[in-house]
Amino acid sequence: MRGYNSYVALGDSFTEGLNDLNPDGTFRGWADRLAEILAEGEPGFQYANLALRGKMLAEIVEEQVPIALELKPDLVTLCAGGNDVIVPGSDVDEIAAQLDEVIGKLRAAGIDVLVFNGPDTKHLPVMSVLRGKIGIYNAHLWTSAARHGAKIVDMWAMDVLHDPRAWSDDRLHFTAEGHRRIALRAAEVLGVPTAEDWREPWPVIDARADWIAMRRSDLAWTKTHLLPWIRRQLRGESMGDGLSPKRPELAPFVAAPPVPDDHAAAS
């Protein structure tokens, strides 16, 4: 295990922390949770989170990566390209090639890099159509990690994320409990011990749902989340327009007062 004194998180809404809310309405997310774990026993630990919702890979490369290279922290987490992959007609091979170049630059600067592959969407209604593209993206990412000596969090293999309670209503972002488990998995990959286990089974519930109820849910999701997202893409708009990163500078880490984790409430 290596102790990390500084950490910079790069990415989009996943790394910003949607939809894991703090009491003040800001987002916590797996990256803040990981920073909290890394800060334990590390006096002077510093953390920055440059991630912003809606960012495409090209924007992350242009706006965030140069800052990380300048700051040269001990650790960078990078999760990018997800918004590009879900765009109809996008070229997964090209997306992966751009990401490979970024990983190489960060590693050449002597920075430890932790990347995240895409989760398996087989169990997500409608979003399951993206499973093939995500699988190709993941294969490229494993190759890049091996080529450059980066570490990878294999979210595809995290069976606990197959439970619908890991996902928000928008089927794109994780719940607080989903973020908590991803942070624990990331710490494990980094070799940092934790008191909790991301593999902990979900509380048992009656999962029966009739066909009509599921179709109504799909229609509601399409109207509330999918169609607005498509309109934003056609207009060249982003959820992050006009917003700034929540932790734009590498600074001593102070965790926001969290909402108490209640695993039972996830049921």
Side-chain angles (χ1 to χ4, degrees):
M1 168 191 165
R2 175 184 174 183
Y4 295 103
N5 292 313
S6 54
Y7 162 37
V8 174
L10 309 179
D12 49 33
S13 57
F14 169 63
T15 303
E16 185 184 354
L18 277 68
N19 289 315
D20 181 7
L21 284 171
N22 284 308
D24 63 0
T26 59
F27 291 111
R28 187 182 183 190
W30 67 265
D32 283 17
R33 291 171 180 268
L34 176 61
E36 189 169 351
I37 295 171
L38 296 176
E40 295 178 7
E42 291 290 339
F45 176 83
Q46 294 186 311
Y47 168 53
N49 189 321
L50 307 179
L52 200 60
R53 69 199 75 173
K55 289 298 182 181
M56 308 297 281
L57 177 55
E59 294 175 301
I60 294 170
V61 171
E62 179 181 352
E63 299 168 9
Q64 299 177 25
V65 173
I67 298 176
L69 288 169
E70 181 179 351
L71 294 173
K72 201 174 181 180
D74 295 336
L75 173 69
V76 162
T77 58
L78 174 65
C79 187
N83 288 327
D84 300 77
V85 169
I86 63 179
V87 172
S90 60
D91 187 335
V92 181
D93 297 332
E94 177 58 29
I95 295 167
Q98 295 177 48
L99 197 57
D100 179 84
E101 183 177 354
V102 172
I103 296 170
K105 287 182 179 179
L106 292 168
R107 290 293 295 131
I111 301 169
D112 280 8
V113 177
L114 181 68
V115 296
F116 294 71
N117 68 7
D120 189 352
T121 59
K122 178 180 180 180
H123 305 276
L124 289 176
V126 183
M127 295 296 290
S128 60
V129 299
L130 295 170
R131 194 174 186 231
K133 292 182 73 174
I134 294 172
I136 295 171
Y137 168 83
N138 288 354
H140 280 299
L141 198 57
W142 275 107
T143 301
S144 293
R147 177 183 295 123
H148 300 294
K151 298 179 185 292
I152 185 167
V153 175
D154 188 2
M155 294 203 296
W156 184 282
M158 290 180 67
D159 291 346
V160 293
L161 299 184
H162 298 168
D163 192 291
R165 288 168 289 183
W167 294 86
S168 298
D169 291 341
D170 62 13
R171 303 179 188 176
L172 290 172
H173 302 106
F174 292 98
T175 59
E177 179 62 9
H179 279 283
R180 184 185 76 89
R181 291 173 184 262
I182 292 167
L184 291 172
R185 178 67 176 118
E188 181 181 84
V189 172
L190 292 173
V192 179
T194 61
E196 301 170 293
D197 188 349
W198 62 271
R199 302 171 185 81
E200 177 187 355
W202 290 85
V204 177
I205 60 171
D206 183 353
R208 290 175 296 179
D210 62 71
W211 185 88
I212 294 178
M214 290 189 292
R215 296 293 77 76
R216 286 175 177 168
S217 175
D218 291 344
L219 290 172
W221 172 80
T222 300
K223 180 179 179 181
T224 304
H225 299 289
L226 180 61
L227 292 180
W229 182 86
I230 292 175
R231 283 195 290 269
R232 286 195 299 270
Q233 292 297 315
L234 292 175
R235 296 170 183 168
E237 299 173 349
S238 168
M239 291 175 60
D241 288 346
L243 300 178
S244 301
K246 62 181 181 179
R247 296 178 185 264
E249 298 179 356
L250 197 59
F253 175 72
V254 177
V259 175
D261 286 325
D262 183 354
H263 308 340
S267 64

